[in-house]
Amino acid sequence: MRSSSFPVVALMTAATPAIAQEDVSISVHAVDETTRAAISSAALLLERPGEEKPVAVGVTDANGLGVIKGVPEGRYRLTITAAGFASSTTNVLVGETTTALDLGRIALTPDGQAIVVTGERTDDVALAPGANSFLIENNALAQSGSVLSAMKGLPGITVEREGQVLLRGSDKVMILIDGKPSALTGVGNQTSLDSIPASNIERIDIINNPSARYGAQGSAGIINIVMRAEKKYGWSGHVGLKGGFGALGRRKPDLPTQLGSFDWTPKIAPYFSLNHNGDSADYHLQGEILLQRKLPNNEFTTRYYDDGRIIVSQVPENRKQQHYVLKGGTDQRLSDNDTLSVSGVFDLENHIDRAQVPFIETTTDTLTRYWFWREKEQTGHASGAINYRHDFPEAGHTLSVRAEYIRGWEDETYALNEVSPIRTGDDLTHIIAHENTVPVSVDYVRPMSNGRIEIGTKVQWRWIPVTYLTQPGFMSIIYPGLGETSDWKENIYAGYVNLVRETRALTIEAGLRAEQTKVSYTLDPVNIYYPRNDSYDYFRLFPNVRLTTKLGSGTDISLFYNRRVDRPGEPELRVFPKYDDPELLKVGNPYLRPQFTTAYEASIQQDWDSLNASLALYHRRITDAYQRIYAIDETNTTYNIINKIYANTGKASNTGAELIAHWKAAKDVKVNASLNAFRIHRDAAQITLLFPYVRSLTLPETSDFTWDGKLGVEAPLGKSTKAQLNGVYYAARDIAQGRQAARGSVDFSLTRTFDKERIKASLSATDIFNTFGTKTRVNGIGFDALYENYYETQAIMLSLELKI
């Protein structure tokens, strides 16, 4: 692991920022002031003050409704004229966050008239108040990788091992696909993102301060993945093939075993996207098959005990994997105003992991234990959703009803083997978990003359029964008395209202979400570690406020406030330990409670045409924060076991500043940079752990300043070739009981198009210098430890894509 002197600031994906909002629509009804009857065939004229040429024109229909489309952001004057009526003039503001405007009824005095306007935003705005958007479909590095690899270089995002995504230093992130929760994503664990080809997505939106219309979960913010949607009439799509090798070099020699750790791991992944757009229906289908060897974990551990012992070990997780993903759906236009959408996702992953783990006491150079295991696991997600949308005559006036069923499953078998002076024995554990989720939501949007109102409700039922079977061998290391079953249930009932008002001087967005949540965790009655089942039930209000004002051309200043919650999921509560490393035993805590976060932010965005920049100052205050705690199991006199258990650790805060810049240095030369500097403070806490015995720990108060830096450059090499150099640097930072060392990586890619851009070829190399592995020091009670995880981060991939 390199120190903080890693060359330059590490780099950011050269993704082109893009507009996240859709075309704006403005509607108006022209009526007779005397009779209130609709006025048809009234002329609409939209002009910019001081300009002679009109921006748009329109005519009202038989119901007096008029619509004008294609209006960019700005201030306008709308004039309505009709035979037999005096003309009427109305000022119109299409703001930065406007999605649609309904000017309502405009009355014309006899010998007068009305309007409807629809605006389309065309500016290439890089950074908007509270939400940044980045085009990925033209990103060279992303084309040969997954969504997870594309996220690695985006501002404020940190990608950790096993697909964990952090936003501004927190893993409490909600991931959406096309604005909705998906079977492929969740909170705190987003491993399925590695199965989505980035070539099938259009852009990634980062929302640091979500409004009330989003769920209250995800205190760090929301990342919305927008899939590519072909608008071409008829058949369209693309097919592609990716292949390459990972784990090209070793940072540290393996400890002596027959198997060691994988290197030069081969990978191949064909994928496709197929679309058909017709007059009355659209159809889309996307899929990928991934076959690979992988090294998702390669952790070297050195433990220093207070009695002078030093024990080293290595857990290399050698994986052979097959992964299949299929996503499809249809949009059926039942009428001009009604659309029925049906979609589904199927994700199936199988892998076999093998590891041989030596434990060596270095003071005597003695092999104290030889642990080897084989894990066979299948995980999967399947979902089906139906969505009905009604479009009212007024532009942007919609009602949507959505229902979905999501089924996830995990079937994991560990065959555990040990040879040591203490015993030669075999054990087996088998976990079967089925996750069921049924969300039903109703959303209503009503544009107004200078903003919109959003109202909605959502109910969600979620339940996860788990079966845990064991076959203990001679002198088994498996903890007894855990039982064989658990059942986790969560019911959420929510409603929200969100109001947006825009004037020339100020934009106000204010919302309130109310949630009633009931969670229960039922344990097997034979469990000897936790004396009772657990449940909690709460009603909370989650407000959000945004104020944005413009200071001249291209400058926005915004203030934000919101409250959010993070509820621990079943994996954080699960009482059944994982034995891949029997001396670092990872286990959940069924008595874990939610953490609540209050967030404040002030930001400024500046647009200088070729250069866009944003500076945000933020503060998050967290109560009942939860995290993993390291603690020695002193009841076990046979082995040196450290428990890694979730616990609520009291109050914490995160205060920082984030600077993002996108510079179009020349016609096809783009430079992206970001810097996120923050301080994490944790109050001192007294906690009690119940597994495998009751013990209290005191965690000291900690305060740590750290930062992430990213930089990316994209430039042409001739007409059809594009090069991209990206990198990222994470400075050293404190964790709950220790410190993680600095790390960084540099990525490079080349992309070339052929046959009028119908064929695209990409070559990418990630983590060129193999410096992105983690090194963590833990200061425990009775021991200190150094964990060095040199998992697979380095890879070279070649991809070829053909438009059809």
Side-chain angles (χ1 to χ4, degrees), residues 42-59:
L44 312 178
L45 182 68
L46 190 68
E47 303 172 289
R48 287 185 186 271
E51 295 184 4
E52 295 183 3
K53 185 178 179 181
V55 174
V57 295
V59 177

Side-chain angles (χ1 to χ4, degrees), residues 229-530:
E230 297 287 348
K231 299 180 180 179
K232 179 181 176 182
Y233 187 83
W235 290 100
S236 62
H238 60 270
V239 294
L241 179 66
K242 300 180 294 185
F245 294 89
L248 308 182
R250 286 190 170 94
R251 287 283 306 278
K252 187 173 182 176
D254 290 335
L255 293 181
T257 63
Q258 292 180 337
L259 180 61
S261 62
F262 279 174
D263 61 357
W264 286 88
T265 52
K267 309 167 192 303
I268 188 168
Y271 63 91
F272 73 92
S273 177
L274 188 62
N275 307 275
H276 183 272
N277 296 336
D279 294 326
S280 60
D282 300 333
Y283 301 89
H284 58 90
L285 185 66
Q286 297 174 342
E288 180 189 28
I289 299 174
L290 171 63
L291 306 174
Q292 68 171 345
R293 289 192 176 193
K294 191 176 182 181
L295 188 65
N297 182 39
N298 186 26
E299 188 165 68
F300 294 82
T301 301
T302 306
R303 283 170 286 159
Y304 305 88
Y305 290 92
D306 290 353
D307 60 10
R309 289 173 299 134
I310 302 175
I311 297 178
V312 299
S313 61
Q314 178 193 2
V315 181
E317 199 167 320
N318 297 302
R319 175 167 296 178
K320 296 180 180 179
Q321 182 182 36
Q322 307 88 40
H323 203 151
Y324 312 91
V325 180
L326 193 65
K327 178 178 182 289
T330 179
D331 299 322
Q332 299 287 327
R333 287 179 282 279
L334 307 179
S335 68
D336 290 341
N337 298 324
D338 299 281
T339 302
L340 183 67
S341 300
V342 180
S343 62
V345 174
F346 181 76
D347 179 328
L348 179 66
E349 185 266 348
N350 294 289
H351 70 255
I352 294 177
D353 290 346
R354 295 177 62 215
Q356 296 174 349
V357 186
F359 294 86
I360 302 171
E361 187 172 339
T362 61
T363 52
T364 59
D365 197 24
T366 303
L367 179 65
T368 61
R369 190 178 193 184
Y370 187 64
W371 181 257
F372 51 102
W373 50 262
R374 180 181 185 271
E375 181 215 14
K376 183 178 181 181
E377 182 174 2
Q378 181 184 96
T379 59
H381 301 276
S383 69
I386 184 168
N387 189 88
Y388 167 75
R389 171 173 166 149
H390 176 73
D391 294 295
F392 294 92
E394 300 80 17
H397 187 188
T398 63
L399 174 67
S400 298
V401 181
R402 179 182 175 87
E404 186 174 14
Y405 174 69
I406 304 169
R407 171 82 163 181
W409 62 91
E410 174 188 4
D411 189 334
E412 173 191 271
T413 301
Y414 268 98
L416 309 167
N417 307 274
E418 178 180 3
V419 176
S420 72
I422 298 171
R423 72 160 190 153
T424 298
D426 302 327
D427 299 299
L428 185 141
T429 66
H430 186 191
I431 286 182
I432 303 172
H434 293 98
E435 179 178 7
N436 305 271
T437 308
V438 180
V440 178
S441 59
V442 179
D443 299 283
Y444 175 76
V445 180
R446 181 66 166 95
M448 299 177 293
S449 60
N450 57 352
R452 66 184 181 276
I453 187 169
E454 302 165 335
I455 302 173
T457 185
K458 180 179 181 179
V459 295
Q460 178 173 288
W461 301 275
R462 193 172 172 214
W463 64 101
I464 306 176
V466 177
T467 301
Y468 180 66
L469 306 174
T470 63
Q471 294 180 11
F474 172 68
M475 293 183 66
S476 175
I477 55 89
I478 297 174
Y479 282 94
L482 288 165
E484 295 184 350
T485 62
S486 68
D487 193 5
W488 179 83
K489 295 180 180 178
E490 177 188 70
N491 297 332
I492 301 174
Y493 308 91
Y496 72 88
V497 59
N498 193 58
L499 178 66
V500 180
R501 300 282 288 181
E502 289 187 291
T503 66
R504 295 188 180 189
L506 185 67
T507 297
I508 301 174
E509 181 173 9
L512 184 65
R513 187 177 187 91
E515 285 194 356
Q516 172 70 43
T517 301
K518 183 177 182 179
V519 175
S520 64
Y521 195 77
T522 304
L523 301 171
D524 194 315
V526 305
N527 190 293
I528 63 176
Y529 304 100
Y530 297 97

Side-chain angles (χ1 to χ4, degrees), residues 365 563 565:
D365 197 24
R563 296 191 67 224
V565 63

Side-chain angles (χ1 to χ4, degrees), residues 19 21 23-24 48 70-73 119-125:
I19 307 300
Q21 82 178 61
D23 293 350
V24 174
R48 287 185 186 271
V71 182
E73 178 187 349
E120 178 183 359
R121 219 169 138 173
T122 58
D123 297 338
D124 184 18
V125 178

